[in-house]
Amino acid sequence: MRKPIIIGNWKMNKTVKEAVEFIEKVDGHVHDKATFGVATSFLALDASLKAAKNLVISAQNCHYETSGAFTGEVSVEMLEELGVKYVIVGHSERREMFGDCDCSVNKKVLKLLSKGVTPIFCIGETEAQFDANETEAVIRSQVSKGLKDVQDVTKVVIAYEPIWAIGTGKSATKEIANTCCGIVRDEVSKLFGAEAAEKVLIQYGGSVKPENIEEYMAEEHIDGALIGGASLQAESFISIIEKVK
Ligand code: PGA
């Protein structure tokens, strides 16, 4: 049985004060049918970790080196010291705007695993790739490159997020989302074996909201969601938490 995981990806939103206010409103609604959490800015991590009793707190990125001349970057050791247990890596916005690629994302995944922190490893095709029927090839390539040399893939959460569905309101149908998460699971099975593939958690992301969370969660290969816009308002996230019961 896979326990679902729902993470709100706040992106560059919420000050420390706003993050704590959100957590104080939402934390008491968390139940044990799934893991629920939010990915805050680096700045809000410490206060969020202190405020949250039930929500898990994730970072949105990390560097793969321990320390050094990497202006503006944050290492896994720094996050680990705070008590961070999850870190999103390879989000499409980072791949598109900040130079993240399969190779650096793979280094981040390996570094996080070496420190016992769970990577939320993001993949997904562009609209042009979707239109050109390249989705399956892109997914398989991103999974195999991003998870290269991983020993225990069940310690990774994989987030399938078609880029054309992120922040657009144009969510993938539940059939497309399930098919693509199934391709991810099949690739994991080829690379790491059927037993690991049966256990690994695969999220869908892209315009998930209270109105559609239940239909995604009912699909065989979808074990949760990575949620941007609809995770920013406490009421909306509470509604999502209630619907995952
Ligand atoms: P969205 O973002 O829910 O606003 O589409 C999802 C994400 O970027 O993880």
Side-chain angles (χ1 to χ4, degrees):
M1 239 336 243
R2 300 189 291 267
K3 184 175 179 180
I5 177 164
I6 316 283
I7 299 289
N9 173 15
W10 284 350
K11 312 189 179 185
M12 198 175 73
N13 291 290
K14 293 197 192 293
T15 64
V16 177
K17 189 162 163 277
E18 288 165 348
V20 171
E21 278 168 9
F22 177 107
I23 290 164
E24 284 170 352
K25 278 192 204 151
V26 174
D27 200 71
H29 293 267
V30 170
H31 53 77
D32 62 7
K33 292 281 185 303
T35 303
F36 296 94
V38 287
T40 78
S41 73
F42 285 131
L43 275 179
L45 285 171
D46 193 27
S48 297
L49 283 159
K50 287 176 179 136
K53 291 189 181 64
N54 303 303
L55 286 162
V56 300
I57 304 299
S58 174
Q60 300 174 14
N61 183 34
C62 62
H63 199 280
Y64 50 82
E65 294 289 353
T66 300
S67 60
F70 303 102
T71 302
E73 291 293 312
V74 170
S75 71
V76 178
E77 283 78 359
M78 294 170 189
L79 297 171
E80 197 197 7
E81 188 187 79
L82 290 186
V84 172
K85 297 279 190 289
Y86 293 84
V87 177
I88 297 174
V89 291
H91 189 279
S92 61
E93 286 151 18
R94 295 217 50 93
R95 291 182 192 250
E96 286 186 338
M97 292 185 270
F98 303 103
D100 284 18
C101 59
D102 290 329
C103 174
S104 60
V105 173
N106 176 242
K107 288 184 187 168
K108 294 178 188 194
V109 167
L110 294 174
K111 176 70 184 216
L112 286 163
L113 291 173
S114 78
K115 293 286 162 191
V117 180
T118 304
I120 301 175
F121 161 59
C122 302
I123 56 159
E125 80 285 2
T126 63
E127 183 148 39
Q129 290 165 333
F130 180 79
D131 290 341
N133 265 326
E134 290 167 8
T135 301
E136 177 163 356
V138 171
I139 291 175
R140 290 190 186 277
S141 161
Q142 288 180 336
V143 169
S144 68
K145 289 178 182 156
L147 298 179
K148 186 169 168 279
D149 296 333
V150 165
Q151 297 296 312
D152 184 358
V153 74
T154 65
K155 300 254 175 353
V156 179
V157 173
I158 305 174
Y160 166 67
E161 301 200 297
I163 296 171
W164 47 271
I166 295 179
T168 57
K170 200 170 117 189
S171 49
T173 62
K174 60 182 194 305
E175 291 82 11
I176 291 178
N178 187 52
T179 300
C180 292
C181 290
I183 293 169
V184 173
R185 202 175 300 285
D186 185 63
E187 188 62 26
V188 169
S189 178
K190 280 192 181 149
L191 297 167
F192 302 98
E195 203 179 314
E198 192 52 39
K199 285 193 193 144
V200 74
L201 296 179
I202 304 173
Q203 298 175 311
Y204 165 73
S207 301
V208 176
K209 49 190 182 223
E211 294 75 24
N212 61 19
I213 181 82
E214 286 164 296
E215 52 181 72
Y216 289 121
M217 295 304 293
E219 293 295 319
E220 180 188 356
H221 292 296
I222 303 178
D223 309 316
L226 191 57
I227 307 173
S231 73
L232 290 173
Q233 303 303 324
E235 297 67 31
S236 163
F237 204 63
I238 290 168
S239 165
I240 287 169
I241 292 172
E242 301 288 333
K243 292 195 170 176
V244 175
K245 265 193 180 151

